[in-house]
Amino acid sequence: MTKIHNFSAGPSILAESAFQKSIADIQNFAGTGLSILEISHRTKEFESIMDQARAIIKELLQIPENYDVLFLQGGASSQFFQIPHNFLINSAAYTKTGTWASGAIKEAKLYGEVNVVASSEDKNFNYIPKNYAIPETVDYFHCTSNNTIFGTQMKAFPKSPVPLFCDMSSDIFSRPVDVSQFSLIYAGAQKNMGPAGVTLVIIDKAMYDKRSSRPIPSMLDYKLHGEKESMYNTPPVFSILVSLYNLQWVKELGGVNAMAARNKAKSDLLYNAIDKSPYFKGTTARDDRSEMNACFVFEENDPELEAKFNAAWKEAGISGIKGHRSVGGYRASMYNALPLESVQALVNVIETFAL
Ligand SMILES: *Cc1c(COP(=O)(O)O)cnc(C)c1O
C-alpha cells in the first residue's frame, strides 16, 4: 500500500507513536493484564495517566500556577454555551470570524447581550479583522484563534480590558502562546491534540469567583470540574490517553517552538506553490493565512482541469483535501503530525498535474 498523506481537517492525523503506544494499552494497560478500555478511571494506573496528561500540557504551554487544566466532554461546541452559562452576566463581546465563531455567538445570545465588535463576514470570512475596540463594560471578550473552515489565523491577540477567552481548537500546540494573557482557552482535541472525545479547557482559577448567579448544573460548572480534577464523572479515558501519547511526541520533537518552525516550513512550502501556480489562488488575505488550514481554489472554472487535478492527488495517495462547502475548492490541513514530505507530495501534484 502506498503511504496515505492525511490532510483531513478533523478528526485528523496523529503521531504514529501515539497509535503504537495506545494499541499496547488496549491489549495490556500498564502491566495490569487488563485493557485501558475496561479498567476503572479511579485506578492508580489511570490516575497516573491523568496526572501525566495535565503535566505535559502545563509544560508544553508553560501554563502558570494559577490555572487549572480540565478535561471535559461535549466538544468545543459545548464550550459555546458552557462559557456564557458561567460567565455571561449582562453582556459579552465576540469577534465573528467564521463558522465556529458564529456558532459561539449564537449560543451566547441565549444568555444575554452579545456585542459583535468585529466581523469578517462581509468578505466570506477571508481575513482577520483588526483595530477594533473591546468595551470595558462587557463580562468577557471571546475570539477564535484559527478559523478552521476559512483558513485564517490570528497572528496576535488584542489587549483586552476584560477577561479574554479563546477557542484554540484548531491551532493549540501548533505554536507558543502566552497563556497568562487569557482567562480561558478551550480546544476540542481532534484537530491538533488527540482523538475526538475530550475537550481541553485551560482556565484562570480567579474566574471561578466571577461565575454568574444563575443556577449552574454540575456538569457545566468549571469550578466543580477543577476541584474534582476532571474526575467528577467518568472522564473520556481513551481520548485522554491517546492525547497524552500524541503530546509526548510533540515534546520529543522539541515542543511547541519546534512545532511552530515545522508548521511554518510546511505552510510556506504549500502557499508558495499555490502563489506560483497559474491554476490556483489562495482564498484568504495573505497576512492572515492559517498555518494549519490552507484554502485554495482554481483561478478559473475548468471542469476538465479540475478532474485532472482530482485524479492526480488521489493517485499520489493524498486524502482529505476537499474544501468545506462554504468555501469550495480545496483545503489542506497541516496539523502538527503531518510531515513535510506529505506537503511536498501535494506540492509536486500542484506543480505537475497539468503537464
Ligand atoms: C472543529 C471546531 C469546533 C467544533 O468542535 P467540536 O469538538 O466538534 O464541537 C469549534 N471551534 C473550532 C475552531 C473548530 O475547529
Side-chain angles (χ1 to χ4, degrees):
M1 211 176 86
T2 48
K3 181 172 163 43
I4 294 174
H5 301 290
N6 183 6
F7 288 87
S8 172
S12 48
I13 187 167
L14 297 173
E16 181 60 31
S17 59
F19 298 137
Q20 298 307 331
K21 291 180 185 176
S22 306
I23 288 166
D25 286 345
I26 288 177
Q27 288 169 334
N28 179 0
F29 172 55
T32 57
L34 295 169
S35 169
I36 177 71
L37 301 177
E38 60 179 353
I39 194 169
S40 166
H41 57 294
R42 309 258 177 220
T43 53
K44 68 175 184 337
E45 287 84 2
F46 184 70
E47 283 190 353
S48 158
I49 295 295
M50 285 291 266
D51 290 343
Q52 292 178 64
R54 252 190 306 268
I56 199 165
I57 289 167
K58 287 183 176 174
E59 183 186 342
L60 286 171
L61 295 178
Q62 297 185 18
I63 300 176
E65 279 301 306
N66 56 312
Y67 286 76
D68 272 338
V69 170
L70 309 179
F71 300 109
L72 306 184
Q73 298 188 65
S77 299
S78 291
Q79 293 306 303
F80 295 171
F81 63 84
Q82 187 170 357
I83 283 173
H85 194 103
N86 279 262
F87 301 120
L88 204 168
I89 296 164
N90 295 307
S91 63
Y94 280 70
T95 49
K96 191 175 187 183
T97 54
T99 307
W100 300 115
S102 302
I105 290 168
K106 173 169 174 260
E107 304 292 81
K109 282 182 174 166
L110 299 172
Y111 292 90
E113 194 191 314
V114 174
N115 184 341
V116 177
V117 293
S119 168
S120 49
E121 197 170 16
D122 58 333
K123 293 187 177 168
N124 198 32
F125 300 115
N126 74 358
Y127 68 103
I128 297 285
K130 290 162 199 103
N131 302 322
Y132 46 86
I134 303 165
E136 283 171 32
T137 50
V138 297
D139 299 312
Y140 61 85
F141 168 63
H142 178 283
C143 60
T144 308
S145 58
N146 184 70
N147 298 286
T148 324
I149 290 176
F150 295 93
T152 60
Q153 185 174 30
M154 296 174 76
K155 307 293 170 176
F157 296 94
K159 271 218 156 22
S160 174
V162 294
L164 173 58
F165 295 176
C166 189
D167 177 357
M168 293 195 188
S169 292
S170 52
D171 66 355
I172 192 137
F173 301 113
S174 72
R175 57 180 177 176
V177 282
D178 175 9
V179 173
S180 71
Q181 254 190 294
F182 301 88
S183 294
L184 191 155
I185 292 169
Y186 64 95
Q190 70 275 14
K191 310 276 166 52
N192 208 25
M193 175 170 129
V198 64
T199 309
L200 173 66
V201 172
I202 301 166
I203 182 170
D204 180 350
K205 288 186 250 191
M207 289 309 297
Y208 295 152
D209 295 329
K210 296 190 181 164
R211 286 170 305 157
S212 146
S213 60
R214 69 170 63 89
I216 302 177
S218 302
M219 283 300 287
L220 293 190
D221 188 354
Y222 291 109
K223 186 177 185 201
L224 181 66
H225 286 295
E227 285 168 355
K228 300 288 184 189
E229 300 188 319
S230 308
M231 287 277 213
Y232 169 71
N233 71 321
T234 317
V237 292
F238 192 62
S239 303
I240 294 169
L241 178 95
V242 183
S243 297
L244 167 64
Y245 291 152
N246 195 54
L247 294 174
Q248 284 174 344
W249 172 86
V250 169
K251 186 181 163 179
E252 280 161 23
L253 262 75
V256 292
N257 286 310
M259 289 301 128
R262 186 178 150 96
N263 293 327
K264 179 161 193 324
K266 288 186 292 184
S267 57
D268 280 352
L269 179 63
L270 180 55
Y271 284 123
N272 284 339
I274 293 167
D275 290 344
K276 269 197 345 226
S277 166
Y279 304 109
F280 296 104
K281 60 178 180 202
T283 60
T284 59
R286 265 165 201 266
D287 289 348
D288 304 326
R289 283 174 162 178
S290 168
E291 292 186 358
M292 298 278 95
N293 317 95
C295 297
F296 56 100
V297 294
F298 271 98
E299 291 269 8
E300 277 158 43
N301 218 352
D302 183 338
E304 216 170 285
L305 214 55
E306 211 171 301
K308 226 172 164 180
F309 180 62
N310 291 342
W313 58 257
K314 280 174 197 157
E315 174 70 27
I318 286 164
S319 159
I321 66 160
K322 192 177 170 333
H324 190 273
R325 61 189 177 281
S326 40
V327 182
Y330 303 92
R331 171 176 51 164
S333 297
M334 300 170 280
Y335 298 115
N336 283 348
L338 186 84
L340 185 71
E341 65 171 13
S342 289
V343 180
Q344 188 62 59
L346 175 57
V347 165
N348 291 347
V349 171
I350 288 173
E351 289 176 347
T352 59
F353 80 99
L355 299 181

